Amino acid sequence: MERRETGDLIRAGALSPSVRAAFFGALLIGLVSQGMGMFNKFSWHDDIFSLFMTGDTITSGRWMLFVLAKAEILIFGDGHFSLPLLNGLFSLLCIGASAGLIADLLKIRSRALSALLGGTMAAFPVITSLFSFMFTAPYYMLSLLLMALSGWLILGDHSWKARAFGVLLGGCSVGIYQAFLPLVLSLTLLYDLKSLTDGAESPAAFFRHQLLQALCLAGIMAVYLAGSRIFLAAYGLELSPYMGISQSDSLPLETYLARAGSAWLEFFRPTRYVQWDMYPQHVHYLYLLMLVLDGVMADRKSTRLNSSHQI
């Protein structure tokens, strides 16, 4: 099977300039944008009564979070603390490392764009919200890093052993926090779109890689579900019904297909004025403008590639 090129994570014995730019961009912009949450103590909702604990673990399907909590006690000799500065710095380091991996995977050569990638990830509003739940922030950002590393190993130019390890890391990431599964799906989509526009692969090789990716992504879910079942059985517990967690592995296929259709519809025509409005106020129009500009830029790049091939 043909191998797909990735960036140069390590160049001449050191991290490549774009990777360093992504890392330090996340760190510096993160300190500026999230400093209020790191140098003060804001407790919201669960953080108020979870200052010295990790929250629900196995019963919420977060079996790897349980493992990390136990490892923390084993290594440091005590339980978990909701420390804003320490937890916040660790979170930013995880975000920076994740940005570096993504920049390398997508072959972003520009240091400015790489720094912007890292800074955007660190300044994203969800991080501001997360820093009000500082008891769980470092775990969740570790989950982000594991999933970014999983995508880097699965999609990049690596051996089958490295890809298998990536599948394992992805399953562990979901076992910490299920919300980061879409990260590896999004990275897969972006990586494949870039491969198509670059014209670096033959159609046969491209579809072979599609099959390999599907197997790896299915493997991530297999690792996660197997881990969940093992820990539930070992401790005699059941999944919580909260937010439908207990039904996550028993819903019919039709439900997931309907959700996939809703997700695509939401992408191209986002719903407004609902409880979980992702595009409040004028951000809605900015999002639509970005979609149009992305389409125009992709069309221009495709036209240039076709012209160069004809020449």
Side-chain angles (χ1 to χ4, degrees), residues 27-41:
L27 197 61
L28 296 176
I29 297 177
L31 285 171
V32 173
S33 60
Q34 309 298 351
M36 283 293 291
M38 297 172 61
F39 295 96
N40 296 277
K41 180 54 188 169

Side-chain angles (χ1 to χ4, degrees), residues 18-33 92 95-96 99 111-112 114-123:
S18 60
V19 172
R20 293 199 302 269
F23 177 82
F24 287 110
L27 197 61
L28 296 176
I29 297 177
L31 285 171
V32 173
S33 60
L92 290 182
I95 294 172
R111 284 180 288 184
S114 297
L116 184 60
L117 169 65
T120 302
M121 290 178 64

Side-chain angles (χ1 to χ4, degrees), residues 49-83:
F49 56 84
S50 301
L51 295 174
F52 310 106
M53 56 187 292
T54 55
D56 294 335
T57 55
I58 298 176
T59 57
S60 292
R62 299 171 186 173
W63 48 270
M64 192 62 193
L65 180 58
F66 172 80
V67 174
L68 292 176
K70 292 297 184 183
E72 189 174 23
I73 295 174
L74 181 64
I75 295 172
F76 298 107
D78 208 336
H80 184 64
F81 298 93
S82 182
L83 301 174

Side-chain angles (χ1 to χ4, degrees), residues 23 26-42 47 72 80-97 121-123 127-128 130-142 144:
F23 177 82
L27 197 61
L28 296 176
I29 297 177
L31 285 171
V32 173
S33 60
Q34 309 298 351
M36 283 293 291
M38 297 172 61
F39 295 96
N40 296 277
K41 180 54 188 169
F42 299 129
D47 193 76
E72 189 174 23
H80 184 64
F81 298 93
S82 182
L83 301 174
L85 184 57
L86 180 62
N87 292 0
L89 281 175
F90 180 82
S91 298
L92 290 182
L93 290 174
C94 289
I95 294 172
M121 290 178 64
I127 305 300
T128 307
L130 181 63
F131 278 11
S132 295
F133 300 81
M134 197 60 85
F135 78 100
T136 197
Y139 295 120
Y140 287 4
M141 292 301 97
L142 178 61
L144 168 71

Side-chain angles (χ1 to χ4, degrees), residues 64-263:
M64 192 62 193
L65 180 58
F66 172 80
V67 174
L68 292 176
K70 292 297 184 183
E72 189 174 23
I73 295 174
L74 181 64
I75 295 172
F76 298 107
D78 208 336
H80 184 64
F81 298 93
S82 182
L83 301 174
L85 184 57
L86 180 62
N87 292 0
L89 281 175
F90 180 82
S91 298
L92 290 182
L93 290 174
C94 289
I95 294 172
S98 301
L101 289 169
I102 294 172
D104 182 75
L105 177 66
L106 300 180
K107 292 182 283 189
I108 302 176
R109 304 300 187 191
S110 168
R111 284 180 288 184
L113 289 178
S114 297
L116 184 60
L117 169 65
T120 302
M121 290 178 64
F124 204 70
V126 72
I127 305 300
T128 307
S129 175
L130 181 63
F131 278 11
S132 295
F133 300 81
M134 197 60 85
F135 78 100
T136 197
Y139 295 120
Y140 287 4
M141 292 301 97
L142 178 61
S143 176
L144 168 71
L145 175 57
L146 292 180
M147 192 59 81
L149 181 56
S150 173
W152 185 79
L153 290 170
I154 290 172
L155 300 172
D157 178 18
H158 300 105
S159 66
W160 68 267
K161 292 181 179 179
R163 289 192 171 98
F165 186 56
V167 169
L168 177 62
L169 290 179
C172 291
S173 172
V174 181
I176 299 173
Y177 192 43
Q178 297 94 327
F180 286 117
L181 178 62
L183 174 65
V184 72
L185 300 177
S186 300
L187 286 177
T188 301
L189 181 61
L190 289 172
Y191 189 79
D192 288 341
L193 287 174
K194 193 173 189 308
S195 296
L196 284 173
T197 56
D198 290 346
E201 290 183 309
S202 66
F206 179 80
F207 285 110
R208 284 199 299 270
H209 283 118
Q210 293 290 297
L211 178 60
L212 177 61
Q213 290 169 9
L215 291 174
C216 289
L217 294 175
I220 288 176
M221 286 307 300
V223 170
Y224 165 68
L225 293 174
S228 182
R229 289 180 180 273
I230 290 172
F231 277 86
L232 287 170
Y235 289 90
L237 300 172
E238 295 182 354
L239 286 174
S240 167
Y242 178 70
M243 299 295 287
I245 293 175
S246 58
Q247 301 177 349
S248 59
D249 60 348
S250 61
L251 292 173
L253 179 61
E254 294 80 5
T255 301
Y256 287 102
L257 292 176
R259 289 179 176 179
S262 298

